[in-house]
Amino acid sequence: MLKAIFAVKGNLKAGIEPQPRVFDGIAIAPFKNNARAAACISADFELSWAFRHHPTEVARDRGRRERENIPSLLQIFERYAFPITWATVGHLFLESCTRPSHGLAHPEMPRPPHNALWTGDWYMHDPCTNYKDDPLWYAPDLIQNILDSPVRHEIGTHSFSHIDFSPAGSDPVLVRRELEASAAAMQRFGITPRSLVYPFNRMGHTYHDLLAELSITAVRHRDRRVTLSYPERMPSGVYKFYESMNLRTPKHYDYLDKVKIFLAEAVARCAAFHLWFHPSDSLTLAQTELLQILKYIDSLRTEGLVWVAPMAEIASYCEARHRLRPEVRRMNGEMTIVWRGSFPSETYGHTELSLVFPPLPGPRMVTLTNGSGSQDLPRSSVQTAAGRLLINMPTSAKSLRIVF
């Protein structure tokens, strides 16, 4: 009945499906490890920046709660080895900032062309102090905690000052400087942002060429009709990740039941399931709903049905799959595979593509050659399913040799 209700509401409308990529009988799987679906989670990491248009006490409360929650959230994700995308306001990477004598904070930054949220300068709420005096406006310590986690999380961008990307609230100069300032602030942590979550969930796809120029490869996308889709490639090479669900406590049904329905549909359609949340929400929500969701997705990952990864990692796989093809050379009971095509790993990051072979005899040896030499792959990295060989071949590999 619950599935029927979601269907009637249009929540299960079909999105984009992956196109087959088969070369000489060898298929490049839609997702890594030939999983039937992907699962990713994004968190809007903002502290008080996202709540400036609310009363001061609300902004303080949300920022304070987020600071208190993040250590516990990291433990929850570590419990299930679940990497997520932390879409982070760029100002949070700063240890401090100052207000010049003429009174405007960050005078080097352009202001939005229109601000319907409050009267006054865009940066009027910035305390222009440091993270110890005003920890609700800076967060280098929390960012370091994320980087120190044993789970390899992705840190993406949420713009520098939580701007509105809609046409009324932005222009190309503002968007460029916001993303450049975020990247500059992240640089001292050794981070280059590849994922972007639009603040206020107001889509800024008109800027996708500019985003690509600034090395953004993945954005979160809200569509009132489609919630489950294979990541959609825009002409610029930026991928839209369709929002599936927002973490919350429903009133009339068990939220985990909805997750199970959506994930079953994602597996059936080879789609990406994308959950997002605010770390400033009640920690009880994470300790109940989120924990159950992670446990369930982990069980699907153990079954090999779902690939769990952050946004940029999935975008890297999809782009490599789009651009590369395996060329096969056969001779005397062995085959050698080399990549053909070009893949800009400097933008997307290196990845592995999962190759699914037609029925073949069991291999006696699989050798991978890259820039540092050759190595025989252990049997644990060469999987077989239903009589078919599955090998993850790095995009940086020069060749893959299989001896039968």
Side-chain angles (χ1 to χ4, degrees):
M1 183 179 294
L2 193 58
K3 181 178 178 179
I5 292 172
F6 293 139
V8 169
K9 292 176 64 177
N11 295 152
L12 302 179
K13 183 177 175 62
I16 294 169
E17 297 182 359
Q19 295 299 308
R21 296 281 288 168
V22 183
F23 305 90
D24 201 359
I26 300 174
I28 306 178
F31 292 122
K32 191 173 181 180
N33 302 322
N34 199 27
R36 297 301 305 160
C40 64
I41 294 177
S42 55
D44 295 7
F45 183 11
E46 308 152 325
L47 294 186
S48 290
W49 281 92
F51 306 99
R52 289 175 287 168
H53 56 295
H54 291 285
T56 301
E57 196 50 48
V58 173
R60 288 176 180 168
D61 181 64
R62 297 288 295 210
R64 187 182 305 113
R65 190 190 306 166
E66 188 164 350
R67 265 207 163 269
E68 294 170 353
N69 287 354
I70 284 181
S72 297
L73 288 168
L74 288 174
Q75 291 179 359
I76 289 172
F77 290 119
E78 287 165 13
R79 179 173 175 178
Y80 289 102
F82 202 118
I84 74 164
T85 297
W86 296 86
T88 309
V89 168
H91 194 281
L92 299 185
F93 290 87
L94 303 180
E95 288 196 355
S96 64
C97 64
T98 57
R99 191 182 301 274
S101 57
H102 54 70
L104 284 181
H106 299 285
E108 76 285 357
M109 294 297 294
R111 269 54 177 169
H114 176 69
N115 177 18
L117 299 176
W118 63 81
T119 301
D121 183 60
W122 180 249
Y123 287 93
M124 63 181 291
H125 306 90
D126 188 342
C128 295
T129 54
N130 57 70
Y131 80 99
K132 292 184 178 179
D133 291 339
D134 288 292
L136 307 185
W137 300 91
Y138 312 82
D141 53 329
L142 292 179
I143 290 160
Q144 192 60 54
N145 288 347
I146 295 171
L147 293 173
D148 289 342
S149 171
V151 176
R152 197 176 74 174
H153 294 291
E154 176 194 8
I155 299 184
T157 183
H158 202 35
S159 80
F160 181 75
S161 63
H162 204 271
I163 63 167
D164 177 354
F165 275 77
S166 69
S170 66
D171 56 45
V173 172
L174 175 69
V175 169
R176 178 182 291 277
R177 287 294 297 120
E178 284 279 322
L179 296 181
E180 287 177 342
S182 290
M186 297 165 84
Q187 193 171 28
R188 82 181 176 88
F189 289 89
I191 303 168
T192 298
R194 290 195 170 103
S195 292
L196 165 68
V197 168
Y198 300 119
F200 307 105
N201 283 310
R202 292 174 186 162
M203 305 301 100
H205 299 322
T206 53
Y207 301 111
H208 68 88
D209 288 328
L210 175 56
L211 303 185
E213 181 187 336
L214 297 173
S215 297
I216 297 298
T217 62
V219 294
R220 193 173 74 208
H221 174 65
R222 172 171 287 181
D223 189 309
R224 295 191 180 278
R225 299 165 301 168
V226 178
T227 57
L228 294 168
S229 173
Y230 194 74
E232 179 184 354
R233 187 182 193 273
M234 292 190 278
S236 61
V238 178
Y239 283 82
K240 292 180 184 177
F241 283 73
Y242 283 68
E243 169 196 330
S244 303
M245 298 169 61
N246 170 231
L247 183 66
R248 60 188 179 85
T249 302
K251 296 181 179 178
H252 305 295
Y253 58 86
D254 188 324
Y255 208 50
L256 183 60
D257 288 340
K258 181 177 181 179
V259 171
K260 290 179 178 179
I261 291 169
F262 274 51
L263 279 166
E265 289 294 315
V267 167
R269 301 174 186 179
C270 212
F273 171 84
H274 190 154
L275 177 76
W276 74 277
F277 73 102
H278 283 112
S280 58
D281 290 336
S282 168
L283 186 60
T284 302
L285 185 64
Q287 294 170 332
T288 54
E289 304 292 350
L290 180 60
L291 199 62
Q292 291 184 78
I293 292 170
L294 296 182
K295 182 178 180 180
Y296 182 69
I297 295 177
D298 184 56
S299 70
L300 297 181
R301 174 172 54 181
T302 301
E303 293 179 41
L305 292 173
V306 172
W307 173 37
V308 172
M311 292 169 61
E313 188 174 339
I314 298 173
S316 177
Y317 185 96
C318 292
E319 183 67 7
R321 184 177 187 267
H322 173 77
R323 287 175 171 265
L324 298 178
R325 59 181 177 84
E327 181 180 275
V328 184
R329 303 165 185 168
R330 293 179 173 85
M331 185 178 61
N332 301 328
E334 64 180 65
M335 67 168 59
T336 299
I337 299 166
V338 296
W339 290 125
R340 289 290 178 255
S342 62
F343 173 60
S345 58
E346 67 280 0
T347 298
Y348 291 87
H350 283 296
T351 187
E352 297 177 331
L353 288 177
S354 297
L355 302 180
V356 183
F357 293 77
L360 294 168
R364 293 190 295 109
M365 181 184 302
V366 179
T367 303
L368 184 70
T369 300
N370 53 35
S372 59
S374 299
Q375 60 174 337
D376 293 336
L377 297 183
R379 290 186 178 275
S380 60
S381 65
V382 179
Q383 306 173 43
T384 56
R388 304 187 72 183
L389 192 64
L390 170 64
I391 299 177
N392 290 333
M393 182 173 174
T395 53
S396 58
K398 290 186 174 180
S399 67
L400 182 72
R401 177 172 170 257
I402 306 173
V403 180
F404 299 99

